[in-house]
Amino acid sequence: MERTRTETRHINGQEIFLRHWGDDGLPPLLMLHGFPEFGGAWSDLAPHLCEHFHCIAPDQRGYGQSSAPEGIEPYAMAHLMADMAELIGDRPVTVLAHDWGASVGYALAMFRSELVARLIVLNGVHPVPFQRALAAGGPQTAASQYINALRSEGSAVRLAKDDFAGLLNLFSAHMDLSWLTPERCEAYRAEWGRPGRLRAMINWYRASPLQVATPGRPVRDLPNFPVERLRVRCPHLLIWGQDDSALLPEASEGLETFVQDLTRVEIAGADHWLHHQKPKAVADAVLKWCAQRPL
């Protein structure tokens, strides 16, 4: 198995901890984790990709061994995107992102398009279809009520109680966590337990402008979303675990409006945590698609 190399870089005023798999001379693949994971979450998938890519997996700001500035404003998307833009530098890369990492990936593809050659998203959402689904008052609204719970005061204390029992329950609700071995669970607890990290992770939600309706009571005064400004112009692959109960198919309805070159692939027998459950199937889909869209 490919050995993981680690380093810490000073990026955009933050200390960002990085994991690497694969030879530095291979095409770079920036791997962006979501909530409540960290860069080490790619340890199942990266070994299947590192013969073809130099896999680079940061702990994003607020997570793991990277800086966790206090307050909510430091977790606005402009800052999160700027971290990764500075990490990328001036050579466009392929971005592979999951969950909240997908929000950063989409932001880079929309607003720093010169840095993203290809965008691959695993069970993540473009902000406009997701906002529309959150506002509709239907199934996705109901499935996303945890966002309001996370945004509430004291949520970090509640989730950390009894050795992070609340966070583990949230993590595993209606999902298959057979991949989360006792040893891996301890690794997650160690990252969550770093000073200020859980509050920082939750502040990603608090800093987001997304509006979450009450089930059955739609939000009807959404702003206009300028399609041209929010368009993904690079080739885009969306890989979806079919059994996801946190992000439903309606969360990506209408994505074609915002993407010029979109490919959708579904993975059977996987849910939100498909990169742990079916890493070989995910890697096969990534490699096949990238071969069809060479740099």
Side-chain angles (χ1 to χ4, degrees), residues 71-139:
I72 296 173
E73 195 278 336
Y75 300 95
M77 184 52 66
H79 300 306
L80 306 176
M81 178 180 66
D83 289 349
M84 295 302 104
E86 186 170 322
L87 173 60
I88 292 170
D90 57 6
R91 178 187 178 188
V93 302
T94 301
V95 175
L96 187 155
H98 173 250
D99 186 77
W100 256 114
S103 298
V104 180
Y106 277 119
L108 286 167
M110 292 186 294
F111 305 125
R112 297 298 307 273
S113 59
E114 76 280 7
L115 300 179
V116 184
R118 297 176 293 205
L119 176 64
I120 302 165
V121 167
L122 315 180
N123 284 65
V125 287
H126 185 286
V128 178
F130 190 43
Q131 176 58 93
R132 288 172 175 164
L134 288 177

Side-chain angles (χ1 to χ4, degrees), residues 53-223:
F53 293 101
H54 170 207
C55 299
I56 307 164
D59 288 350
Q60 296 193 77
R61 88 160 56 184
Y63 285 83
Q65 299 179 62
S66 292
S67 296
E70 295 184 4
I72 296 173
E73 195 278 336
Y75 300 95
M77 184 52 66
H79 300 306
L80 306 176
M81 178 180 66
D83 289 349
M84 295 302 104
E86 186 170 322
L87 173 60
I88 292 170
D90 57 6
R91 178 187 178 188
V93 302
T94 301
V95 175
L96 187 155
H98 173 250
D99 186 77
W100 256 114
S103 298
V104 180
Y106 277 119
L108 286 167
M110 292 186 294
F111 305 125
R112 297 298 307 273
S113 59
E114 76 280 7
L115 300 179
V116 184
R118 297 176 293 205
L119 176 64
I120 302 165
V121 167
L122 315 180
N123 284 65
V125 287
H126 185 286
V128 178
F130 190 43
Q131 176 58 93
R132 288 172 175 164
L134 288 177
Q140 184 62 65
T141 301
S144 295
Q145 289 304 298
Y146 71 91
I147 295 176
N148 290 331
L150 286 171
R151 286 171 167 173
S152 66
E153 185 59 37
S155 61
V157 174
R158 293 191 294 273
L159 292 176
K161 188 178 179 182
D162 297 328
D163 204 13
F164 299 99
L167 184 54
L168 283 167
N169 287 336
L170 178 65
F171 198 15
S172 61
H174 311 294
M175 305 282 190
D176 171 20
L177 254 66
S178 58
W179 56 270
L180 191 63
T181 63
E183 294 77 16
R184 177 169 281 176
C185 192
E186 286 308 305
Y188 276 83
R189 285 192 176 102
E191 301 302 329
W192 299 336
R194 295 181 187 275
R197 293 313 187 275
L198 185 52
R199 177 175 290 276
M201 292 156 58
I202 290 169
N203 281 344
W204 281 51
Y205 288 92
R206 292 172 174 153
S208 169
L210 288 171
Q211 300 180 60
V212 184
T214 299
R217 297 173 57 186
V219 173
R220 302 193 184 280
D221 57 346
L222 292 177

